Amino acid sequence: MNSTPQLTKKNVALEVRNLRVVFHTYAGVVKAIDGVNLTVHSKELLGLVGESGSGKSVTALAIAGLLPENAEVLEGEVLLRGKDLLKQSKKELRMARLTDIALVFQDPMTYLNPVMTIGTQITEIFTGNLKIYKDELIQSRLDQIENELRQETDPKKISKLNEEKTKLEIKKQNSSGISKKEGKRLAKLLAIEYLKLVKLPEPERVFKMYPFELSGGMRQRAMIAMALVRRPAVLLADEITTALDVTVQAQILKLIKELRDKVDAAIILITHDLGIVAETCDRVAVMYAGNIVEEGDVIEIFKNPLHPYTVGLFGAVPRPDIEKENLEPVPGSVPDLINPPSGCRFHPRCPKAFERCPKSKPPLIEYKPGHKVACFLYGG
Ligand SMILES: Nc1ncnc2c1ncn2[C@@H]1O[C@H](COP(=O)(O)OP(=O)(O)O)[C@@H](O)[C@H]1O
Ligand SMILES: [Mg+2]
């Protein structure tokens, strides 16, 4: 468990404000996301939890700009460095997705191209966007050269490295781009660095492998590497460990935690597993039927859950340091989102509901510093 980093206004990476998303289906309009508010800071690991169908994936897809055709964003803002992604042109959005937001899924096979080697898939990100990545490619090779020079004793190799360094420094100053061939060479070297970063064993060998040749855990690592290559400001990880066995799951989560410290990204870890949240996250946001019902520091939420839904959920896992367990569903079932309950969507299942609850929707308020809740028991 990590303590919450000092949060100031400055390091907000992403802010979602009053997001409302519906789906148009033959059965009717599915009111999937009903006014979601969410803030994540750089170098923070935010857990997004809730039962299946609560809207975690739709929230992630909306942030990443990857909602399906039948979805409609009715309202809201997705602010990245103060700019609203939902109001940007297609081109600006493409750019943001290319460089700022990365989404990784449970099943890496839907993300990885089965007929391309891991290496080609990563290097193509760079070579397909040489203008964007020119500086990074050159700089990362220069850093590698510095490292190699420090360890090298063979004068021949030293002079070769120095020669390469000089050439690269000229290219760096030069305003024109780099050739495709040089781009490819540098991209391969950088790709291997990323494979090392996600702790893939024998990165040179993995570089030449196809996705089907990798184990499930290795595939997840490769997918995370591909996402990090874009140096995203926000990394959305949607149930990435759900399909993995417990040991591999623990390794991937450890990696995610390490990456949080190494890369500048804010990480949103989506899961239905409270144990994962307890072990991995700094803060947690609890979703119910398209709303965030509670949000705060992980330790605080585990110790002092406020919302009756959270209390019910966390009843099964009272402390963050105990064995992990899946969400224990609160009695009742997730409501039909075509005809959702009025007012607070949780009221039909809530043991503490009173006359006000079906009448209006409780806003998410800061009940204590850093601890927000959307429930009339706490005012609002
Ligand atoms: N393409 C879609 N068409 C219609 N409804 C959808 C679609 N995708 C998701 N939904 C609905 O949106 C709600 C939230 O789904 P989702 O975000 O996938 O939940 P979670 O990820 O929390 O399990 C659910 O009621 C789901 O049925
Ligand atoms: Mg989901």
Side-chain angles (χ1 to χ4, degrees):
M1 172 103 29
N2 293 286
S3 59
T4 309
Q6 277 300 316
L7 305 180
T8 60
K9 254 244 165 306
K10 261 193 222 152
N11 60 8
V12 168
L14 178 90
E15 201 177 343
V16 177
R17 281 194 200 152
N18 197 29
L19 182 68
R20 284 175 66 218
V21 180
V22 296
F23 288 100
H24 298 280
T25 70
Y26 289 113
V29 180
V30 181
K31 292 142 193 114
I33 304 295
D34 186 44
V36 158
N37 289 289
L38 209 56
T39 306
V40 233
H41 305 84
S42 299
K43 289 188 178 282
E44 179 180 49
L45 243 160
L46 174 75
L48 188 58
V49 285
E51 283 167 280
S52 173
S54 56
K56 305 180 296 291
S57 294
V58 175
T59 302
L61 291 170
I63 292 171
L66 295 170
L67 285 168
E69 283 283 303
N70 67 329
E72 187 187 349
V73 176
L74 295 182
E75 212 182 314
E77 293 171 309
V78 176
L79 299 166
L80 188 85
R81 302 200 188 97
K83 270 195 175 170
D84 186 359
L85 291 182
L86 297 177
K87 290 202 181 66
Q88 290 191 306
S89 69
K90 281 233 164 82
K91 198 179 157 199
E92 286 173 313
L93 250 186
R94 207 187 131 253
M95 202 59 185
R97 243 174 269 147
L98 206 58
T99 56
D100 292 328
I101 293 183
L103 176 58
V104 288
F105 305 98
Q106 178 177 339
D107 179 12
M109 286 312 263
T110 61
Y111 189 86
L112 297 170
N113 186 334
V115 297
M116 260 193 198
T117 62
I118 298 296
T120 309
Q121 294 187 56
I122 298 180
T123 50
E124 277 206 339
I125 296 171
F126 300 121
T127 54
N129 304 284
L130 268 186
K131 266 193 200 139
I132 301 175
Y133 289 109
K134 177 197 160 193
D135 290 345
E136 189 182 338
L137 285 170
I138 293 177
Q139 192 53 51
S140 63
R141 180 58 192 147
L142 283 170
D143 294 345
Q144 283 174 352
I145 291 174
E146 281 309 318
N147 272 332
E148 285 170 36
L149 279 172
R150 240 172 266 141
Q151 287 156 32
E152 194 54 72
T153 48
D154 180 351
K156 256 191 186 165
K157 283 189 182 151
I158 292 177
S159 91
K160 237 185 146 185
L161 283 168
N162 275 322
E163 201 179 303
E164 190 189 345
K165 186 176 155 186
T166 313
K167 277 188 190 160
L168 284 171
E169 267 159 359
I170 293 168
K171 280 178 190 147
K172 195 175 151 189
Q173 303 302 326
N174 205 324
S175 59
S176 63
I178 44 176
S179 72
K180 259 236 132 91
K181 195 178 158 210
E182 177 71 343
K184 233 176 149 176
R185 182 183 79 89
L186 295 174
K188 179 176 179 183
L189 292 165
L190 185 53
I192 287 173
E193 286 251 322
Y194 276 97
L195 295 177
K196 276 186 196 151
L197 179 71
V198 296
K199 307 243 165 80
L200 274 160
E202 300 180 79
E204 278 90 2
R205 205 165 76 86
V206 172
F207 185 90
K208 294 186 200 133
M209 287 164 91
Y210 289 91
F212 71 84
E213 296 179 278
L214 304 177
S215 69
M218 285 168 86
R219 254 181 237 150
Q220 282 296 4
R221 285 175 197 269
M223 185 171 66
I224 294 167
M226 277 180 76
L228 292 177
V229 159
R230 299 162 196 274
R231 288 186 174 259
V234 181
L235 175 68
L236 295 151
D238 191 354
E239 306 270 8
I240 52 164
T241 61
T242 304
L244 302 173
D245 72 55
V246 178
T247 325
V248 184
Q249 187 174 49
Q251 288 165 0
I252 297 287
L253 292 170
K254 186 163 168 263
L255 170 71
I256 291 273
K257 259 166 95 167
E258 286 170 12
L259 289 174
R260 189 269 317 269
D261 299 325
K262 270 189 207 157
V263 296
D264 262 337
I267 302 175
I268 302 183
L269 192 71
I270 296 174
T271 177
H272 62 277
D273 187 328
L274 280 173
I276 288 180
V277 171
E279 285 161 34
T280 319
C281 299
D282 304 307
R283 276 197 314 134
V284 57
V286 182
M287 270 195 102
Y288 181 78
N291 294 292
I292 304 287
V293 296
E294 188 156 358
E295 186 207 296
D297 184 279
V298 168
I299 299 170
E300 162 71 10
I301 301 266
F302 271 85
K303 265 197 208 147
N304 263 323
L306 297 173
H307 197 284
Y309 178 64
T310 321
V311 172
L313 275 186
F314 287 34
V317 201
R319 281 185 11 245
D321 49 358
I322 67 162
E323 279 294 286
K324 73 185 197 62
E325 257 176 70
N326 284 341
L327 296 188
E328 274 296 316
V330 176
S333 55
V334 179
D336 163 20
L337 295 181
I338 292 176
N339 296 298
S342 61
C344 171
R345 286 183 172 183
F346 186 59
H347 86 261
R349 285 171 86 182
C350 184
K352 298 208 166 144
F354 56 109
E355 69 278 8
R356 203 173 159 191
C357 305
K359 287 190 191 133
S360 60
K361 190 182 151 171
L364 187 67
I365 55 154
E366 191 154 10
Y367 183 68
K368 287 191 228 171
H371 189 163
K372 293 178 184 169
V373 63
C375 175
F376 289 130
L377 290 174
Y378 306 96

